[in-house]
Amino acid sequence: MAGDGDPMTVLAEVGRALAAQVTAAVPGWVRRSVAHVLATTGATAALDAAVETAAAEASGVVGSALAELAEADVDAHRSTPLEIVRDAVRFPTAVLRQAGVAPVRRERFAVERFPDDLYGLTPASLAALDPSLADVAVAWGAAKAMAHRARHRPSGPGVAPA
């Protein structure tokens, strides 16, 4: 995955790997999220078809957004993979709302930071989405930092080489 060693190429390659792995993990996360809320609230609903539709839609939306991010120039990044995934909370939330499941009680910080997440589903990290994503998430962060540093490293007289 090291490409030709160029930090921009490495960032794109790691971004594509991250996009593929996260996209594959999203459907399971949607299913687990809905099941968790149903189990913890005691709500009963037959939501299999709605959950499968939401899982597929979430995976498509997240996959497209992450693919776009992976191909974007480092200076054009306006979001992060975690922000993209957090936006996908709307999919399991919609399933639960349509089923009439009452919102869960959340801490004030969560309510203020994620007002549309009525069920406390917002992942704190990509590893919270799926533990297998921890390494690729760290690799993406490191690759982005290296690409940004390579692009914006000061140069000229009096600047020590990196």
Side-chain angles (χ1 to χ4, degrees):
M1 192 184 296
D4 61 7
D6 170 63
M8 305 306 165
T9 302
V10 172
L11 176 60
E13 289 177 358
V14 173
R16 286 189 290 275
L18 178 123
Q21 291 177 41
V22 171
T23 300
V26 165
W29 169 75
V30 170
R31 291 181 197 106
R32 288 188 307 276
S33 295
V34 171
H36 173 75
V37 171
L38 292 176
T40 58
T41 62
T44 57
L47 303 175
D48 292 346
V51 170
E52 290 308 312
T53 298
E57 289 174 357
S59 183
V61 168
V62 168
S64 294
L66 288 174
E68 186 177 313
L69 181 66
E71 298 307 320
D73 182 80
V74 67
D75 289 336
H77 289 188
R78 298 293 176 247
S79 66
T80 66
L82 183 57
E83 287 175 311
I84 291 168
V85 166
R86 284 178 170 170
D87 185 50
V89 164
R90 63 191 160 111
F91 294 98
T93 296
V95 170
L96 293 162
R97 286 185 77 181
Q98 289 173 347
V101 177
V104 301
R105 187 176 189 146
R106 299 181 296 140
E107 295 179 14
R108 191 175 96 199
F109 173 81
V111 171
E112 291 171 358
R113 181 69 176 95
F114 309 108
D116 296 329
D117 179 14
L118 305 177
Y119 302 99
L121 303 175
T122 301
S125 66
L126 291 179
L129 180 77
D130 188 296
S132 70
L133 298 173
D135 289 344
V136 73
V138 170
W140 184 85
K144 181 171 180 177
M146 291 301 295
H148 189 271
R149 182 172 184 238
R151 171 77 53 83
H152 299 286
R153 178 182 306 141
S155 62
V159 175

